[in-house]
Amino acid sequence: MRKSLLLTLTMLIVAPTFAAEEPSGCDKFKWNIDHARAVLTAPDRIKLNTGSELAALPPAGATMALATPADAKLPMPPERAPKEGSFAGFVRIGSLPKAGSYTISLSSGAWLDVVQDGRFLKPTAFSGATDCEGIRKTMKYDLSASPLLLQISGARQNSLSIAILPSD
């Protein structure tokens, strides 16, 4: 009886670990990431510090320098609490060219909060994979043309690249 109980408990603990593993490789994303990946790795990415304010959507990707969560001074508490030793940052964008579906992609793992009109937006689609140089995750959002706040938290490195592109 004890052995079967121990075996059952072990399986319950180990099973979620296997289920939580993300796909590996660039071909494992749910949609084509070639354009986003090119933008995230292009040499003409603009450089941003946490707290940067842009009048409009940047024409190219951006590399954002991040800080400790305490130093980043995020305007809103992130929806997911940052882990110890992680980095955070934010950027405000004054307006988007038009309302519509946009894809926001990150070069490395981090939590992304997208805020418009004072409320957190949920992605309409998400895809991520490990072991794909230049891109780690990509999400689709329905955005209005109003100001946009992007908050990054839980990053393992003190910088990452971000691409905001109209969805195909």
Side-chain angles (χ1 to χ4, degrees):
M1 177 83 166
R2 283 181 135 176
K3 284 185 180 182
S4 69
L5 178 61
L6 183 60
L7 180 62
T8 302
L9 288 173
T10 302
M11 291 179 70
L12 288 172
I13 292 169
V14 174
T17 303
F18 289 114
E21 288 183 19
E22 288 195 69
S24 176
C26 297
D27 62 333
K28 299 299 188 275
F29 284 87
K30 294 177 185 174
W31 54 83
N32 188 306
I33 51 127
D34 292 342
H35 183 64
R37 189 172 174 214
V39 170
L40 288 168
T41 59
D44 64 344
R45 289 170 291 172
I46 64 170
K47 306 278 190 255
L48 300 173
N49 290 315
T50 184
S52 293
E53 295 196 26
L54 303 173
L57 194 61
T63 299
M64 181 184 290
L66 304 172
T68 65
D71 291 336
K73 296 181 173 75
L74 298 177
M76 298 179 71
E79 284 196 302
R80 180 181 287 176
K83 292 181 180 175
E84 186 76 28
S86 65
F87 297 92
F90 71 96
V91 62
R92 294 180 192 274
I93 300 170
S95 67
L96 299 177
K98 64 180 181 174
S101 180
Y102 286 83
T103 302
I104 302 176
S105 303
L106 301 178
S107 62
S108 56
W111 181 259
L112 176 67
D113 288 315
V114 177
V115 182
Q116 273 194 319
D117 301 320
R119 59 186 183 87
F120 291 95
L121 302 180
K122 301 291 182 205
T124 58
F126 168 87
S127 187
T130 60
D131 302 318
C132 182
E133 189 175 334
I135 189 169
R136 172 65 179 81
K137 65 196 281 185
T138 183
M139 298 138 296
K140 293 183 182 186
Y141 290 88
D142 288 329
L143 302 175
S144 67
S146 64
L148 179 67
L149 169 65
L150 299 178
Q151 294 188 149
I152 295 165
S153 59
R156 293 185 185 135
Q157 294 128 2
N158 64 357
S159 72
L160 58 69
S161 293
I162 187 165
I164 307 165
L165 304 166
S167 293
D168 298 330

